[in-house]
Amino acid sequence: MSETRTFRIAAIPADGVGAEVVASGRAVLDALAHASDQAFAFDWQEFDWGSHYYARTGKMMADDGLEQLKDFDAIYFGAVGWPTVPDHISLWGLRLKICQSFDQWANVRPVHFLPGITSPLRKADDTELDWVVVRENSEGEYAGLGGRNLSGRGPGGEVAVQSALFTEIGCERIIRFAFDLARTRTRRKVSSVTKSNAQQYGMVLWDDVFQRVAADYPDVETESVLVDAMSAKFVLHPEDLSVVVASNLNADILSDLGSALAGSLGLAASANLNPERRFPSMFEPVHGSAPDIAGQGLANPIGAVGSAALMLDHFGLPDQAARLNKAIETVTGAGILTRDVGGTATTEDVTRALIDALSN
């Protein structure tokens, strides 16, 4: 019998529904591991960081939090944000601190149209749609460069400067990542998204790097599209998409649009990758903390479970990731749906159904 592969996972439920969906994902992953005849297992350690930790300590995570996390195989994250903590504090104090400190520069957000879920796109009724948004995750508009000053001028006199950072290295590595991903897909195509007609420095650099990198991938179809035109294309011609690569802000917005078109942000999975594996990567749903439904058992765990499938792929377990994605399709196809996608099932109902699907 081969030795069991044990993966050490840092679980950070954080805020709101994060606790519910992380618990759901952990239960499903443990069930999958149990059914693997000890081929693999998970060693979980949970961290209580987030807005409630901030209320006690004035910080979103422990001072040595990054040191505590750096030797884990992966991080499984819930959601961050709570009404009592300003969003820029909660985000920069936890999620972005981890992403930037661990150079998780590739954010992968698949857009899946699942059976049994009604899309607001009429085209989804009779057209096979499936694409992935690749988001530059380390610089761009979220580099955190800038400041506020001159408040001494009095009311109305303060000035804020927010700078977007584009480096040739940062652009090239995410663009090459997108091309390599496109080579694994049925449709080998990369769509680059900028707003270089208005942002004539950073995004023109992005365009130049895209053209240069594209020359190394003659087998991959390419296009460059302005972000407003791409927003329209998501709605009007989504069948023409395969891999969409964009800057931090543009890809953030477009990926949320894609998930909404698929039926709900509750379905949206993501991976924050450090492809060189110098640091652990982080896997999280992108639906946010949803304070209005937190603790009520109404949260959709599909995004968290889909993120777990991305984690399995990252661990080199593509067959297990496929099993998990198949279980998701089985459950949604059977109409076991949470409220956000038109059903009446609870978080626990969907979790139980996913575990049952894995056992069949």
Side-chain angles (χ1 to χ4, degrees):
M1 180 180 294
S2 60
E3 185 177 351
T4 301
R5 296 177 63 190
T6 300
F7 300 101
R8 294 184 64 238
I9 313 296
I12 308 177
D15 300 329
V17 298
E20 298 163 74
V21 299
V22 164
S24 175
R26 287 180 58 172
V28 173
L29 280 171
D30 285 340
L32 184 67
H34 180 74
S36 73
D37 294 327
Q38 297 185 326
F40 63 96
F42 299 101
D43 178 12
W44 299 95
Q45 183 173 339
E46 186 163 307
F47 296 84
D48 67 344
W49 303 330
S51 295
H52 296 294
Y53 185 88
Y54 181 87
R56 301 196 310 270
T57 67
K59 300 171 183 178
M60 289 295 295
M61 65 187 300
D63 288 336
D64 65 343
L66 296 173
E67 183 67 22
Q68 292 186 53
L69 293 175
K70 68 180 180 62
D71 292 326
F72 281 89
D73 294 309
I75 302 165
Y76 194 43
F77 194 84
V80 67
W82 198 248
T84 57
V85 182
D87 287 341
H88 66 280
I89 290 176
S90 59
L91 188 64
W92 279 98
L94 186 56
R95 183 194 174 276
L96 285 179
K97 185 173 183 178
I98 293 171
C99 285
Q100 292 202 346
S101 299
F102 287 165
D103 200 22
Q104 295 168 349
W105 52 265
N107 181 222
V108 178
R109 296 188 173 187
V111 180
H112 289 315
F113 289 74
L114 293 168
I117 293 179
T118 302
S119 164
L121 276 180
R122 285 180 296 176
K123 187 167 286 188
D125 295 340
D126 53 17
T127 306
E128 185 174 346
L129 302 174
D130 180 72
W131 70 91
V132 59
V133 177
V134 173
R135 170 187 177 187
E136 200 293 313
N137 209 36
S138 66
E139 50 183 52
E141 304 86 351
Y142 295 174
L145 302 178
R148 293 172 60 174
N149 212 329
L150 306 181
S151 60
R153 290 178 175 178
E158 189 174 7
V159 174
V161 175
Q162 187 84 40
S163 297
L165 174 71
F166 291 88
T167 68
E168 191 167 0
I169 291 172
C171 294
E172 179 164 348
R173 66 183 183 178
I174 196 64
I175 289 169
R176 286 195 181 276
F177 182 95
F179 273 97
D180 290 337
L181 178 60
R183 279 180 164 171
T184 70
R185 295 174 59 84
T186 303
R187 177 82 182 273
R188 294 185 170 192
K189 180 181 180 180
V190 177
S191 303
S192 172
V193 182
T194 65
K195 189 62 177 171
S196 50
N197 58 342
Q199 296 175 284
Q200 73 271 45
Y201 302 121
M203 290 200 166
V204 170
L205 172 63
W206 176 292
D207 287 343
D208 291 344
V209 173
F210 182 75
Q211 292 176 14
R212 174 168 58 80
V213 171
D216 295 336
Y217 296 83
D219 55 318
V220 179
E221 182 184 355
T222 65
E223 65 176 350
S224 294
V225 185
L226 296 177
V227 64
D228 39 0
M230 182 55 79
S231 299
K233 190 168 190 173
F234 266 42
V235 176
L236 299 176
H237 300 290
E239 72 282 359
D240 195 39
L241 302 172
S242 180
V243 176
V244 178
V245 63
S247 68
N248 218 328
L249 174 62
N250 288 337
D252 189 8
I253 295 169
L254 287 172
S255 60
D256 279 7
L257 173 60
S259 298
L261 294 174
S264 170
L265 289 182
L267 307 171
S270 80
N272 301 287
L273 302 176
N274 175 248
E276 301 87 358
R277 299 177 189 259
R278 293 183 297 115
F279 301 103
S281 296
M282 182 163 67
F283 302 84
E284 60 170 331
V286 300
H287 49 57
S289 58
D292 57 322
I293 63 168
Q296 300 176 44
L298 301 176
N300 191 339
I302 294 295
V305 176
S307 300
L310 293 173
M311 184 166 66
L312 293 171
D313 262 327
H314 181 69
F315 288 154
L317 298 171
D319 292 342
Q320 298 296 335
R323 282 191 66 197
L324 201 47
N325 284 321
K326 180 62 177 176
I328 291 173
E329 293 181 358
T330 297
V331 169
T332 62
I336 305 171
L337 307 173
T338 47
R339 189 176 65 176
D340 59 306
V341 284
T344 59
T346 65
T347 310
E348 184 179 352
D349 292 335
V350 175
T351 304
R352 189 182 311 112
L354 288 165
I355 293 172
D356 289 345
L358 288 171
S359 65
N360 295 329

